[in-house]
Amino acid sequence: HVQLVESGGGSVQSGGSLRLSCASSGYRDSANYCLGWFRQAPGKERERVASIYTGDGTTNYADSVKGRFTISLENAVNDNGKNTMYLQLNALLPEDTAMYFCVLVPYSCQTWSWAWPRDWGQGTQVTVS
């Protein structure tokens, strides 16, 4: 089964930086898939942050994080269903405070903008003061 393990959250002052990591493993449905990040702030709905397709590295960002966050993959080619994804968070703002969840969408990122991801990590907290 798919496992998504996040790390790298923490507390930082406004304007600071953090790097989140997500180790994915166990995916077997296809050679490539979509990895991404959602976040949920207290009292708010979960929202899409960014996604990346493991097949060609195509990325997508929410308008609120464009130019500040960068999503990337450790490996250009998946290793038997394994890969590590990073989210570099720069110029952080208090409104970026949220629980950040690593997610996986099977096959591609074509449904990223509207479909609910199939697999979720446990989340990592980012707090900006």
Side-chain angles (χ1 to χ4, degrees):
H1 66 284
V2 172
Q3 285 191 311
L4 303 171
V5 180
E6 304 103 330
S7 61
S11 296
V12 65
Q13 291 188 337
S14 183
S17 298
L18 285 171
R19 189 174 81 155
L20 308 183
S21 300
C22 172
S24 64
S25 62
Y27 181 81
R28 296 287 185 269
D29 293 5
S30 58
N32 292 291
Y33 47 95
C34 184
L35 286 171
W37 295 91
F38 271 61
R39 67 183 181 184
Q40 186 170 24
K44 295 188 177 181
E45 294 184 352
R46 289 188 184 184
E47 62 174 353
R48 292 166 178 80
V49 176
S51 66
I52 187 165
Y53 178 52
T54 66
D56 61 9
T58 299
T59 60
N60 180 274
Y61 295 93
D63 288 343
S64 59
V65 307
K66 280 181 182 176
R68 300 188 299 121
F69 292 7
T70 303
I71 192 170
S72 62
L73 294 170
E74 181 174 68
N75 301 310
V77 178
N78 293 325
D79 177 14
N80 196 26
K82 295 181 181 179
N83 213 324
T84 298
M85 172 181 61
Y86 301 102
L87 186 68
Q88 179 69 39
L89 291 69
N90 294 330
L92 282 162
L93 304 169
E95 49 262 45
D96 294 317
T97 295
M99 183 71 78
Y100 284 70
F101 297 91
C102 175
V103 299
L104 185 148
V105 177
Y107 304 108
S108 76
C109 291
Q110 290 183 354
T111 62
W112 173 255
S113 64
W114 57 270
W116 204 242
R118 186 188 74 179
D119 300 291
W120 292 75
Q122 292 299 307
T124 185
Q125 178 67 38
V126 171
T127 302
V128 184
S129 59

